[in-house]
Amino acid sequence: MWKWHCLKVFLLMGITGYTQINIGIEPSTCVRIPFELTTYNNMLVPVILNNKDTVKLMFHTAADAVNLTESATMRVTLDFQRTDSVKSWGGDQNTSRFSPVNTVQLGTMVFENVPIWEDTNSGQGSDGKFGINLFEGKTITFDFEAQELLISDDLPLDITTYSKQPLIRENGYLFIEAVAAINDEVVVNKYMIHSGYAGSVLFDDVFVEKRGIADKLTVIDQKELRDSFGNVLKTQRAVLPQFRIGNILLDEVPVGFFSGALSRQKISIIGGDILKRFQMVMDTKREFIYLKSNALINDIYKGV
């Protein structure tokens, strides 16, 4: 049982520009939002849109907006007012319809005036995604064992039992440093925390080229990835002997990287197959992340 010290929750207007209302919350309790941890390592959260439509949205730590897939928008009522040109992971020529004002409810947390964009794809089994910006100014605990998010004003009382690591913020994304063992080298790199990526580790192109990864790791597989708009990217798959985050060491970790198309993958990523192995806490200012291993630490990597 996780121990918490929580303050009373009030109606507030966040810097994100939409209004957050908490309903049915008792003083000295945390908001608990259940999620389903899928076989693709995605966190699917039941969400009510505009007080009437129910969807399953993926909690995506690298997303900065609420998005619904095209198939989901056919089942719900949204007021789309324009179409925007947007960039995605695999391409620049994408368009997205935009609905500016919506109500989004997650558990007992209700957010007003939320803009929603339309995507082609999302994580398997989901109707779209939302990001950590909904919880601006709150501590977020990811409890993968209990399959729930805990939203609070304060850190857990047992936070000293966690490994504390600084978060690096760049262009609105959150990164953490980690250490990879590549042959006889021990290499530090920064990785975006990306719960929307089902795999474990993905190297950026400059890192791959500079370290000669294609020559030092044995490729065991190739797979295709599709971004939110259906663009296809092909990756090579190998195995890292060791990978360390903070004081937690992982052995025989699958890693992906791109061959050719240099500069297509500009950032390295830690995905859901790694993240689910930790009890994780992000502080209110997103300055630090706290980690400790959970019961999933030795699960077999799924290679999805």
Side-chain angles (χ1 to χ4, degrees), residues 15-244:
I15 62 173
T16 48
Y18 40 76
T19 305
Q20 174 193 323
I21 306 169
N22 296 286
I23 58 175
I25 301 175
E26 297 294 332
S28 302
T29 62
C30 297
V31 180
R32 296 175 180 268
I33 300 174
F35 66 82
E36 173 193 355
L37 181 61
T38 72
T39 56
Y40 290 92
N41 301 317
N42 296 144
M43 293 176 280
L44 301 190
V45 178
V47 174
I48 300 174
L49 298 179
N50 298 319
N51 303 309
K52 56 184 176 180
D53 295 315
T54 301
V55 293
K56 283 187 177 182
L57 299 186
M58 175 176 62
F59 185 32
H60 191 314
T61 54
D64 60 358
V66 178
N67 300 79
L68 290 183
T69 62
E70 292 175 351
S71 59
T73 59
M74 296 175 65
R75 297 185 282 104
V76 303
T77 303
L78 294 176
D79 179 21
F80 288 111
Q81 296 190 4
R82 70 171 190 259
T83 300
D84 295 333
S85 296
V86 296
K87 292 183 178 181
S88 68
W89 194 16
D92 295 337
Q93 304 302 316
N94 308 298
T95 58
S96 178
R97 292 195 295 168
F98 172 71
S99 175
V101 180
N102 298 276
T103 299
V104 175
Q105 181 175 344
L106 296 82
T108 57
M109 301 185 78
V110 180
F111 303 87
E112 303 282 358
N113 305 315
V114 180
I116 294 178
W117 280 264
E118 183 181 56
D119 281 346
T120 302
N121 299 317
S122 184
Q124 287 88 344
S126 74
D127 297 309
K129 57 183 176 287
F130 69 96
I132 63 174
N133 59 314
L134 278 185
F135 307 126
E136 195 76 37
K138 297 290 183 182
T139 294
I140 308 172
T141 294
F142 302 71
D143 189 339
F144 289 98
E145 290 183 48
Q147 297 194 26
E148 63 182 6
L149 303 171
L150 292 87
I151 312 302
S152 173
D153 291 316
D154 300 288
L155 295 170
L157 292 178
D158 63 346
I159 199 65
T160 57
T161 64
Y162 291 69
S163 173
K164 179 181 180 181
Q165 301 298 315
L167 284 170
I168 304 165
R169 301 188 77 163
E170 290 186 5
N171 300 318
Y173 299 118
L174 297 176
F175 294 78
I176 187 173
E177 286 191 345
V179 181
I182 303 171
N183 288 354
D184 295 329
E185 293 184 86
V186 178
V187 185
V188 178
N189 194 17
K190 65 181 180 184
Y191 297 84
M192 183 170 70
I193 302 170
H194 193 323
S195 64
Y197 175 55
S200 51
V201 177
L202 186 65
F203 285 150
D204 68 85
D205 294 339
V206 172
F207 183 79
V208 170
E209 183 74 10
K210 182 178 179 180
R211 298 292 176 177
I213 299 297
D215 297 323
K216 294 178 180 178
L217 295 178
T218 301
V219 174
I220 60 173
D221 194 11
Q222 179 176 287
K223 66 177 297 186
E224 291 186 351
L225 300 177
R226 293 180 182 271
D227 69 10
S228 296
F229 293 91
N231 300 297
V232 177
L233 304 171
K234 293 185 178 180
T235 66
Q236 309 294 315
R237 186 165 171 264
V239 176
L240 282 174
Q242 290 186 322
F243 189 73
R244 179 168 58 81

